[in-house]
Amino acid sequence: MSDQRNAGFRPLWPILLLALLLLLAACRGGRELPRPPSPPAAPGGGDEGITLTFAVYDWQQAAYQGLVEAFQAANPNLRVLMVPIPAVGPGPAGGPTPFLRLATTADVFPADPTTALVMAHQGLLHDLTPFLEADPDFRPQDFYPGTLEGYRRNGHTWGLPTTVQVTLICYDRTALDQTGLPHPRPGWTWDDFLTTAHALTVRQGERTTRWGFLLPDPLPPTTLLAFIEGRAGPLVDPSTDPPTPRFDTSPAIRAVAWFADLVQEARVMPPPRFEQKVGVTKLEPGAWLEEAAMAADPAWDLTRQRLPDRVRCLPFPGGGPQEGTTPIQVQGLVMSAGTRHPDAAWRWMRFLSHQLLPGPQGAPLLPARPSTAEAGGLWETMDAEMADTLRYALAHGYPPPSVPGYGPLYRALDAILRGEKTVEEAMAEAQQQAVAEIRQALAWEAQITPVPPFTVSPPAPQARPGPTPAVITFLTGPDSREAQRYRDLARAFHEAQTEVVVEVRPLPPDRPYTLQALAEAGDCFLGPPTLRDPQARTAVISLDPFLSTDPTLSRDDFYPSLLEPFTARGRLWGLPAEAVPLVVAYRRDLFDAAGLPYPPPDWTPDDLLSLARALTRGEGAEKQYGFVGEAYEGYHLPLILARLGGSVVDDSVTPPAFTLDAPATVEALRWYAALTAEHGVKPRLATRLTELADLAPFQTQREALIQEGRAAMWTTTTPGNLEEGAAPVGLAPLPAGPGSNGALLSVRGYFISARTGAREACWTWITFLTTRPEAAQGFPARRSVAESASYRRRVGEERVAAYRAGVVGPEQPFLPFVQEPWLTGVTYWLFRAYGQVVRGEAGPAEALAAAQRLADAYRACVLARDAFFDQARWEACLRETDPSLPAFLTGGGR
């Protein structure tokens, strides 16, 4: 699951916003936000030659291209230039803040109401009020309740809403039919909700086998407050100056007691995990069906992904003291205070507010204007019942509170549900804490100084003056952070030459990460070596002609184990970029305290077990573990078992066959599972496929063990800052047992699209990249780079040795899952077998024999349908072979 799904509603800098939320108190009760001076008008007062810069997330650029073209067709003298939102982070010491960097980068950019008000207070935004007042067609009532209001303070409007995300309450209609209760409808009450949750809860004795209701994990603040304020009204009164907390009032106490009783007395839902960070919870639609019959489900996917047939959704219950009940998150557009073309910027913003804007998967997001939904025919694209539900929910939207003081609520509820305090005690304490929190917000606000006047800087030229350069598009994977790294490299490339300009873009998240998709969208790209697929080879060109005529590059400068995956039919199709081995990180201080030697590059599994035993100590919540695996080990298990001498895939036959029940594989799984089940040196994290619907609790547990120093060793592919002497963390390769069958986890390389007309320019760029160690997240593929003194100094001798052990050695690189993605389907049955062994439900031979039978049936299906390189078809084989696999794993939830 990719967090890019949520990017349409993600605040720009969540961690920073967590602190800046305190500022919102300053936006109430007569405190004026600074009104920046009007920027200079466009030369001559017209549109001729105007270029507007529009900052968007990387994944949005391709989706917005059609809207840009439509706007420019209607405004032929205007050009809209899309630029990427600046990288997240505080920037260089003494440099501009992220907000200021954004405001000086683009004339128009997205911002949620919280971000907009913070930026407005800093003097970074242009007040939109004059445009609204001068527009005879602007009607405030043409926005869903709570959307436009969020951008307004003290008579000024700082943003224009464009899209809305809602959270609905969804239920299993089959389960509800079995209770005999009528299906609830929009307008239902909190009493109806409790009655339904009671009826849907199933118990066997004292054990709950099916929850009546489930909240997202972690619980977003707006969803929690919808339950409390939906029954009590605002817990902080925003109409007073300063805002007044109401935690200790009777309505608030009754509402919190009612919520706590859902866990403690009614026992219709498990205790929630409170989350005070700004952001959204990642949850596949319908994933809660494994453990509950009703749940609060974020609905960005519900409008464009097919829900299971048995699921129906509703707005939140009403009947309380406020009209808005269903949680909403609003996203909109703002205008930089430094824009030189405010009238043109407003026209672009107004145009977009009347469009159905694309989401991460390409389908439209819910618009903030009812008229936009109607004109775009949005409701006709979905089930009539869902359309009615969403219309009702949007008409009764509950936006996040716009004042500080809510932090104590989460602490109070946590203490109540833990039995540490009564409701009255906790809420009385929360009242005092809220007063102090608001006071702190006001003091913090008083220190804010608006920035001096500024102007949006035009995009810097990407090449020095000279002959017209070749412009090429270079695609990375869908991670925008990776794209930012390559943009930095592109700047260095441009400084070194004038002939080629590189535009770096991430692969749109709705496109599969395949050579074919990358080759269609870019001139050259970073991709996986899936060259066993004949269609993949037709999408790229052979690099042999370039290599044979380029005196600066030699095939011998690449590690042979890394060249092999990029070679097919005797030809080289890509330049290896990086190797990403699975390695073992360890805490030097824990080894030193125990008087133990650090793991050497040639250590064995017996060495690992011996060290893990010596480093495991304590019990319960404070236990220190000698070794910690991944939260979900399914993807890494094939490599781990191969290092132990097992064999999951026989790659010597065509097509590859599965060997899960081979004696060596059985023994390898027995040894690895015993680290947890027998020796107790490794914690039990996720061991069931159903737990993959939400790995957050297991990831949090693992991260806590590492951060708190209770993990002596752990597996990793991203060791982070391991600069020599910079941290008490060392690095070693995975230990190899007798008959070890593999090393690497993955490799990627640079390819040139067969469609491009700029092959020479692409070759110049990708060969430049192979000389830069910072281009590789893992181990650089060129010997001259990976073994250079500068690289060794930068990352340390130990890291080089650990990575090199996975690249240079007697084992062949373990890459079948990279080269033929259909093979990854077997990891689900392998992981299930591993979990059964760890939990003591089956022995290794029994569990792997069952997995082998399913793997054989799956391979036969893929073979019969020739589905090896067609993901939709091999996922269908997974579903048919094993209907018990959770739908979200096999494409069934799409």
Side-chain angles (χ1 to χ4, degrees):
M1 293 175 288
S2 169
D3 64 356
Q4 297 293 330
R5 297 188 311 107
N6 308 335
F9 303 99
R10 184 176 56 201
L12 297 178
W13 295 281
I15 295 175
L16 183 60
L17 279 180
L18 186 59
L20 292 180
L21 281 171
L22 299 174
L23 176 63
L24 293 179
C27 303
R28 309 296 298 184
R31 287 185 174 81
E32 280 289 328
L33 294 177
R35 196 164 186 170
S38 298
D47 294 339
E48 191 67 39
I50 289 179
T51 296
L52 287 176
T53 48
F54 175 48
V56 293
Y57 295 103
D58 280 304
W59 62 265
Q60 293 175 307
Q61 290 203 22
Y64 270 85
Q65 187 59 43
L67 294 171
V68 169
E69 293 170 359
F71 178 77
Q72 291 179 158
N75 298 269
N77 295 325
L78 281 175
R79 180 187 177 213
V80 176
L81 176 64
M82 289 187 285
V83 296
I85 288 176
V88 174
T97 67
F99 289 157
L100 179 56
R101 288 209 309 275
L102 182 57
T104 56
T105 296
D107 298 287
V108 177
F109 48 89
D112 59 84
T114 299
T115 305
L117 294 178
V118 169
M119 295 186 74
H121 192 78
Q122 295 175 319
L124 298 174
L125 298 187
H126 196 292
D127 183 9
L128 302 182
T129 308
F131 300 105
L132 306 184
E133 293 175 347
D135 188 342
D137 297 324
F138 184 81
R139 296 182 300 114
Q141 59 270 29
D142 187 27
F143 290 89
Y144 288 111
T147 57
L148 184 61
E149 293 85 347
Y151 290 98
R152 288 184 157 174
R153 288 296 179 270
N154 306 112
H156 304 301
T157 303
W158 301 99
L160 190 64
T162 53
T163 59
V164 188
Q165 182 253 312
V166 304
T167 296
L168 301 177
I169 291 182
C170 301
Y171 65 93
D172 183 343
R173 65 182 181 88
T174 304
L176 188 60
D177 287 341
Q178 294 171 354
T179 70
L181 288 176
H183 287 228
R185 302 189 60 79
W188 63 323
T189 67
W190 289 107
D191 289 341
D192 296 331
F193 166 83
L194 184 56
T195 298
T196 305
H198 263 299
L200 291 171
T201 302
V202 177
R203 296 189 181 88
Q204 291 181 354
E206 288 299 308
R207 188 170 73 92
T208 301
T209 58
R210 185 183 71 195
W211 293 105
F213 181 70
L214 196 66
L215 286 165
D217 182 19
L219 177 57
T222 309
T223 304
L224 168 63
L225 291 175
F227 275 81
I228 308 298
E229 295 192 330
R231 295 177 59 84
L235 294 184
V236 181
D237 185 354
S239 66
T240 62
D241 185 17
T244 305
R246 300 175 57 248
F247 286 76
D248 57 357
T249 63
S250 295
I253 290 173
R254 286 196 299 269
V256 169
W258 180 87
F259 181 83
D261 282 347
L262 296 176
V263 175
Q264 295 175 323
E265 298 297 328
R267 294 188 298 157
V268 299
M269 73 177 187
R273 186 163 63 92
F274 300 113
E275 176 61 81
Q276 298 182 45
K277 294 180 182 179
V278 178
V280 291
T281 301
K282 297 183 284 293
L283 185 67
E284 292 289 348
W288 45 269
L289 285 167
E290 299 290 339
E291 54 182 317
M294 184 167 60
D297 208 339
W300 51 79
D301 283 321
L302 300 183
T303 60
R304 58 178 176 269
Q305 288 197 15
R306 185 174 180 271
L307 279 170
D309 290 337
R310 65 197 228 226
V311 173
R312 294 292 181 271
C313 297
L314 291 163
F316 270 52
Q322 59 186 35
E323 180 68 17
T325 56
T326 297
I328 63 172
Q329 297 285 341
V330 182
Q331 184 79 338
L333 299 170
V334 296
M335 184 189 303
S336 171
T339 182
R340 294 177 296 170
H341 313 292
D343 291 333
W346 168 250
R347 259 182 284 165
W348 171 239
M349 294 171 67
R350 186 179 182 279
F351 168 80
L352 288 180
S353 76
H354 286 283
Q355 311 301 313
L356 291 177
L357 299 184
Q361 305 302 325
L365 301 168
L366 293 173
R369 291 179 183 262
S371 62
T372 300
E374 297 293 343
L378 178 66
W379 308 125
E380 286 72 28
T381 66
M382 63 183 71
D383 174 82
E385 185 175 356
M386 175 60 77
D388 290 343
T389 291
L390 288 171
R391 274 195 286 249
Y392 187 97
L394 291 168
H396 298 79
Y398 168 77
S402 59
V403 292
Y406 282 86
L409 174 64
Y410 315 111
R411 296 188 289 272
L413 277 170
D414 193 39
I416 293 166
L417 294 177
R418 290 176 182 271
E420 298 170 355
K421 292 183 175 69
T422 67
V423 175
E424 290 76 10
E425 291 170 343
M427 295 299 281
E429 184 176 318
Q431 177 72 14
Q432 299 305 313
Q433 293 173 347
V435 171
E437 184 177 289
I438 293 170
R439 188 182 303 118
Q440 181 184 3
L442 296 178
W444 190 86
E445 173 268 331
Q447 301 175 9
I448 298 297
T449 302
V451 300
F454 64 94
T455 57
V456 173
S457 302
Q462 293 185 298
R464 299 192 299 271
T468 303
V471 180
I472 60 173
T473 300
F474 177 76
L475 261 65
T476 66
D479 188 340
S480 60
R481 293 169 297 181
E482 185 168 64
Q484 186 61 44
R485 187 172 80 251
Y486 277 95
R487 288 194 185 102
D488 293 339
L489 287 161
R491 281 194 290 272
F493 179 64
H494 299 155
E495 292 172 0
Q497 53 77 56
T498 61
E499 294 79 17
V500 181
V501 170
V502 181
E503 294 182 354
V504 178
R505 298 177 188 171
L507 179 71
D510 61 328
R511 305 296 304 278
Y513 190 40
T514 64
L515 296 188
Q516 297 93 307
L518 288 160
E520 287 179 2
D523 296 295
C524 34
F525 50 87
L526 174 69
T530 55
L531 294 165
R532 294 182 183 179
D533 180 358
Q535 292 186 3
R537 294 196 299 273
T538 63
V540 298
I541 64 170
S542 169
L543 301 183
D544 288 329
F546 294 102
L547 196 61
S548 63
T549 58
D550 190 335
T552 68
L553 193 65
S554 168
R555 185 187 296 263
D556 294 336
D557 195 24
F558 292 90
Y559 292 103
S561 62
L562 302 186
L563 277 176
E564 189 276 334
F566 296 90
T567 304
R569 302 295 176 93
R571 305 172 75 184
L572 184 69
W573 301 89
L575 287 183
E578 62 178 0
V580 182
L582 182 65
V583 293
V584 176
Y586 64 91
R587 290 281 300 237
R588 292 194 182 99
D589 53 348
L590 297 183
F591 274 72
D592 293 342
L596 295 170
Y598 301 152
D602 59 348
W603 66 326
T604 68
D606 287 342
D607 295 332
L608 183 148
L609 177 56
S610 176
L611 290 170
R613 280 174 165 165
L615 291 162
T616 299
R617 57 197 60 186
E619 297 292 338
E622 301 303 316
K623 182 174 180 178
Q624 173 182 301
Y625 290 93
F627 182 71
V628 176
E630 302 296 318
Y632 167 56
E633 298 195 89
Y635 292 140
H636 295 165
L637 265 177
L639 174 59
I640 290 172
L641 298 183
R643 292 289 283 179
L644 294 172
S647 176
V648 175
V649 175
D650 180 1
D651 205 23
S652 67
V653 299
T654 303
F658 299 112
T659 55
L660 303 182
D661 60 351
T665 309
V666 172
E667 288 308 309
L669 184 68
R670 186 193 310 278
W671 186 93
Y672 192 64
L675 294 178
T676 300
E678 179 182 341
H679 306 298
V681 300
K682 177 173 174 284
R684 178 174 144 187
L685 299 174
T687 61
R688 300 178 189 274
L689 290 172
T690 54
E691 291 169 339
L692 306 187
D694 184 12
L695 271 176
F698 303 102
Q699 291 168 333
T700 299
Q701 180 184 352
R702 181 181 191 270
E703 186 67 20
L705 288 170
I706 294 171
Q707 295 298 325
E708 296 168 9
R710 293 189 291 117
M713 298 179 283
W714 63 95
T715 54
T716 183
T717 57
T718 54
N721 180 15
L722 297 177
E723 304 283 337
E724 194 165 32
V729 176
L731 208 64
L734 277 180
S740 177
N741 292 311
L744 291 175
L745 180 67
S746 68
V747 295
R748 293 190 299 174
Y750 303 120
F751 298 87
I752 298 177
S753 171
R755 300 161 58 97
T756 184
R759 298 182 178 188
E760 292 284 352
C762 277
W763 175 255
T764 303
W765 164 240
I766 65 176
T767 53
F768 166 82
L769 291 176
T770 65
T771 67
R772 303 300 290 252
E774 63 268 35
Q777 285 185 306
F779 191 59
R782 288 183 69 166
R783 295 177 189 268
S784 58
V785 176
E787 299 178 13
S788 67
S790 61
Y791 181 69
R792 290 175 178 274
R793 284 194 301 270
R794 187 166 71 90
V795 304
E797 292 287 348
E798 188 179 52
R799 180 172 180 175
V800 171
Y803 272 7
R804 194 173 185 275
V807 174
V808 181
E811 305 101 334
Q812 289 297 312
F814 182 81
L815 298 170
F817 294 92
V818 176
Q819 295 171 304
E820 297 198 45
W822 73 274
L823 296 171
T824 60
V826 80
T827 61
Y828 300 136
W829 297 309
L830 176 62
F831 177 70
R832 178 191 286 164
Y834 166 73
Q836 291 168 341
V837 177
V838 168
R839 298 191 302 272
E841 298 170 358
E846 176 190 359
L848 286 174
Q852 180 68 38
R853 288 191 293 272
L854 290 166
D856 287 340
Y858 167 61
R859 180 178 181 269
C861 177
V862 174
L863 181 61
R865 299 183 184 180
D866 192 22
F868 300 106
F869 302 106
D870 187 320
Q871 183 172 347
R873 284 194 286 169
W874 61 252
E875 283 184 337
C877 282
L878 282 174
R879 292 192 295 273
E880 293 175 22
T881 301
D882 185 1
S884 72
L885 287 176
F888 63 87
L889 294 178
T890 63
R894 286 202 286 267

